[in-house]
């Protein structure tokens, strides 16, 4: 149980277009979902914390107009990279905690690799 | 502010040797500490939590509040332990989880 699925797993787009990445909790309800960015051979960088039904909380230095996060339901959060540029190319990962557990464990998606040409 | 420091980017040990992955934290309240692991081409997954005081795959970690540390240890490294290890900290309610920069463990056969 407690599976998080991201879609798409990889995407290539042209510079200037927008890309949406979905993060779904398949068998549990997630009160909070987190979005990260991971550069090659580097750590996770927390971008934002997303709570169902409310605005996302962005980390310092992350442009909220550039990275739009929507958490419309307890099982779905989306990250939209608007007007993507080559420097936005990265590996984006989401995680979620299970509303039904109080362990604090995060369940991670498999990640989405974005390449902007 | 909460902060997690993993001083080593890479740790190479021989198979059968002891392993210690260091993690220090900064947090004003009572922290919850975790170790996550990412094996090659797999997603991140929880390895262990300080609150459960368990041993997973031979790994243990003790929370030392005096030294604000949560080092991960294993007495005898195995090749399958080679992976990226992340220390993470959360406050009560788990609203924000902060990850360290990660340590790559390389076990040499």
């Amino acid at each position: 149980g407690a599976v998080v699925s991201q879609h798409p797993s990889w995407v290539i787009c042209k510079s200037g277009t927008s890309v949406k990445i979905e993060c779904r909790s398949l068998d549990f309800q997630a009160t909070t979902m987190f979005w990260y960015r991971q550069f090659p051979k580097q750590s996770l960088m927390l971008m934002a914390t997303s709570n169902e039904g409310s605005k996302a909380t962005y980390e310092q230095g992350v442009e909220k107009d550039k990275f739009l996060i929507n958490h419309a339901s307890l099982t779905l959060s989306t990250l939209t990279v608007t007007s993507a540029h080559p420097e936005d190319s990265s590996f984006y990962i989401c995680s979620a905690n299970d509303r039904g557990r109080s362990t604090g464990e995060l369940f991670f998606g498999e990640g989405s690799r974005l390449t902007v040409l | 502010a909460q902060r997690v420091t993993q001083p080593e980017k890479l740790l190479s040990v021989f198979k059968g040797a002891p392993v210690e992955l260091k993690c220090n934290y900064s947090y004003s309240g009572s922290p919850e500490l975790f170790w996550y692991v990412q094996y090659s081409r797999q997603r991140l997954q929880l390895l262990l939590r300080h609150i459960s005081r368990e041993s997973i795959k031979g790994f243990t970690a003790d929370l030392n509040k005096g030294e604000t540390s949560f080092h991960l240890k294993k007495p005898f490294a195995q090749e399958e332990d080679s992976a990226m290890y992340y220390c993470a900290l959360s406050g009560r309610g788990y609203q924000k989880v902060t990850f360290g920069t990660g340590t790559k463990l390389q076990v040499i056969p």
Side-chain angles (χ1 to χ4, degrees):
Chain A
V3 177
V4 174
S5 176
Q6 275 183 248
H7 178 80
S9 53
W10 59 270
V11 57
I12 301 172
C13 70
K14 291 182 179 180
S15 187
T17 59
S18 295
V19 174
K20 181 187 284 188
I21 300 170
E22 292 186 346
C23 177
R24 291 182 186 273
S25 56
L26 297 185
D27 49 2
F28 66 97
Q29 293 183 328
T31 45
T32 308
M33 288 183 168
F34 304 87
W35 286 96
Y36 310 84
R37 188 169 174 176
Q38 187 175 38
F39 293 98
K41 297 181 182 177
Q42 293 190 33
S43 181
L44 301 166
M45 184 193 82
L46 179 65
M47 298 174 66
T49 301
S50 166
N51 290 295
E52 185 265 339
S54 62
K55 289 185 179 179
T57 303
Y58 289 82
E59 294 299 301
Q60 193 172 14
V62 178
E63 299 175 57
K64 57 182 69 176
D65 295 331
K66 172 77 171 173
F67 299 100
L68 299 178
I69 291 173
N70 184 278
H71 194 158
S73 76
L74 286 171
T75 58
L76 174 65
S77 177
T78 60
L79 167 68
T80 302
V81 182
T82 62
S83 187
H85 287 97
E87 57 266 30
D88 299 324
S89 298
S90 193
F91 197 55
Y92 293 88
I93 304 172
C94 74
S95 71
N97 55 16
D98 186 345
R99 186 189 199 191
R101 309 184 196 205
S102 58
T103 62
E105 178 177 358
L106 291 178
F107 300 94
F108 285 81
E110 60 269 58
S112 299
R113 184 165 302 284
L114 170 63
T115 301
V116 184
L117 301 176
Chain B
Q2 53 192 66
R3 189 178 301 127
V4 177
T5 304
Q6 291 180 251
E8 304 140 326
K9 273 195 168 181
L10 172 66
L11 181 65
S12 296
V13 301
F14 284 101
K15 178 181 172 182
V19 175
E20 183 179 52
L21 299 168
K22 290 185 166 51
C23 172
N24 287 89
Y25 66 90
S26 173
Y27 187 67
S28 55
S30 293
E32 303 273 0
L33 276 298
F34 307 82
W35 276 99
Y36 284 84
V37 61
Q38 186 174 28
Y39 300 103
S40 180
R41 295 192 183 88
Q42 294 187 30
R43 66 185 73 193
L44 267 156
Q45 57 186 288
L46 179 69
L47 180 62
L48 53 80
R49 302 176 291 141
H50 94 267
I51 204 166
S52 56
R53 302 183 68 82
E54 56 200 342
S55 173
I56 303 293
K57 299 184 179 182
F59 285 97
T60 59
D62 291 317
L63 178 60
N64 186 322
K65 291 187 178 181
E67 295 182 358
T68 59
S69 69
F70 188 57
H71 303 326
L72 183 68
K73 300 177 183 179
K74 183 170 182 175
F76 309 103
Q78 303 298 313
E79 287 180 66
E80 56 265 29
D81 296 329
S82 295
M84 195 74 180
Y85 291 81
Y86 293 93
C87 182
L89 175 153
S90 171
R92 297 246 170 151
Y94 312 113
Q95 281 302 299
K96 179 169 180 174
V97 181
T98 300
F99 283 82
T101 49
T103 299
K104 182 175 181 179
L105 174 64
Q106 185 177 56
V107 181
I108 304 164

